Amino acid sequence: MLAEDRNVTRLLGDLADWIHTNRPTGTAHRDEVLKILGGQWAKMNHLPWDPDDPCVKVLEEVDKFLQTVRVHTGIFVERAPQRYGFLHLTFQEYYAARHLINSRRTQASQIRQHLHDPRWREPILLALGFVGLDYPDDADELVRTAILAHGDLAAEENLTPAPYEDLLGRDFTFALRCLADEVPVAPPLARKLLERAVVELLNHFGPAQYVSYRSTLTGAFVKLVDTIHQITLSEILCAQPLTGSSEHARR
């Protein structure tokens, strides 16, 4: 039964990933669904697959799978004639998150690929949370590699910071969102991120000279107040004098 559960997650993960990426409406035509699942089903069962000339046996098995999912779970349903989608966006985001971390070898690149697409914010945070439940050290490494694009692993995978990161701070603010969601992050890195946020916000230093960026930082602080980082954040705030941006710029 466990193997079957893994197969369901894998198949629905592929489907959620494709729909989340390509169909903002959340629905796909039946032919698209069969084509998406057909290749994965064939691979899982060591059967031949040609998307231009699909194997009838594979299509029949995929159709049975979809019927079973609809009847027994109601997660993936026919919303209109020949148009299918997940019952709720929450389910779609859940399986899209599972797809992101399906392979440990590609987790970082998969996450990085979608990092600053607003539609992928929740699936990415979910994915990091799933990893952190069983492998907190791996979640910490993913924050460093996939979110901040720092370290040897990021270099090995050619992952680089977002364009104009020094001005926009998009990687940095997403890392703060990870802290707010209590994704496991090693204390030294968490403190470093929080210290930077405090310095920038209190002194309008760096990107925080811009109103929109300060608004993003303020929102992050609000989310961090009731988390495991509350004490660290309080310590940093109490120890940080309001000295002005010029002094920090000289340090």
Side-chain angles (χ1 to χ4, degrees):
M1 183 65 183
L2 183 59
E4 293 177 3
D5 289 343
R6 285 200 298 267
N7 289 340
V8 168
T9 298
R10 188 173 177 180
L11 289 167
L12 291 181
D14 282 356
L15 196 54
D17 175 75
W18 189 89
I19 292 175
H20 210 68
T21 300
N22 298 284
R23 294 292 181 269
T25 60
T27 61
H29 192 275
R30 180 178 181 275
D31 292 342
E32 292 175 321
V33 173
L34 293 178
K35 186 175 181 179
I36 295 162
L37 295 182
Q40 187 60 260
W41 184 277
K43 181 179 179 181
M44 288 165 50
N45 292 278
H46 308 289
L47 295 171
W49 176 255
D50 180 352
D52 297 322
D53 185 19
C55 173
V56 174
K57 180 180 179 181
V58 171
L59 293 180
E60 290 175 347
E61 291 301 318
V62 169
D63 196 47
K64 290 179 183 178
F65 167 77
L66 289 173
Q67 290 180 30
T68 301
V69 169
R70 289 199 301 272
V71 171
H72 293 285
T73 70
I75 291 175
F76 194 74
V77 298
E78 187 174 14
R79 292 186 174 181
Q82 299 293 301
R83 306 292 299 185
Y84 292 83
F86 287 87
L87 181 63
H88 192 277
L89 179 60
T90 302
F91 294 123
Q92 183 174 304
E93 291 176 336
Y94 171 88
Y95 283 104
R98 286 296 185 186
H99 180 85
L100 287 174
I101 56 174
N102 182 55
S103 169
R104 294 184 70 176
R105 181 175 59 83
T106 61
Q107 286 175 353
S109 59
Q110 286 268 59
I111 291 173
R112 189 73 196 175
Q113 175 186 349
H114 297 293
L115 184 58
H116 297 303
D117 182 339
R119 281 175 52 79
W120 281 89
R121 182 179 298 114
E122 291 305 321
I124 289 172
L125 290 169
L126 278 172
L128 293 170
F130 292 148
V131 173
L133 287 174
D134 297 317
Y135 307 102
D137 289 345
D138 288 358
D140 173 76
E141 188 61 54
L142 278 174
V143 171
R144 298 171 187 271
T145 303
I147 308 304
L148 296 170
H150 288 171
D152 294 339
L153 288 178
E156 289 175 10
E157 299 190 33
N158 296 316
L159 303 180
T160 58
Y164 308 107
E165 176 64 17
D166 290 343
L167 290 175
L168 302 178
R170 293 192 297 166
D171 295 346
F172 170 64
T173 52
F174 199 101
L176 290 180
R177 178 65 188 271
C178 293
L179 295 184
D181 273 36
E182 299 192 356
V183 173
V185 173
L189 177 58
R191 177 173 284 272
K192 182 178 179 180
L193 293 170
L194 293 172
E195 286 176 342
R196 173 182 164 180
V198 169
V199 168
E200 291 183 348
L201 187 58
L202 292 183
N203 301 284
H204 295 186
F205 177 62
Q209 61 189 292
Y210 304 111
V211 174
S212 61
Y213 183 85
R214 291 202 302 274
S215 177
T216 300
L217 279 187
T218 301
F221 269 79
V222 170
K223 292 182 174 66
L224 284 161
V225 166
D226 294 322
T227 70
I228 58 175
H229 304 289
Q230 180 182 23
I231 295 177
T232 302
L233 186 59
S234 297
E235 292 173 352
I236 295 169
L237 284 167
C238 291
Q240 178 64 45
L242 186 60
T243 57
S245 60
S246 60
E247 180 179 342
H248 289 284
R250 292 194 298 270
R251 289 181 179 177

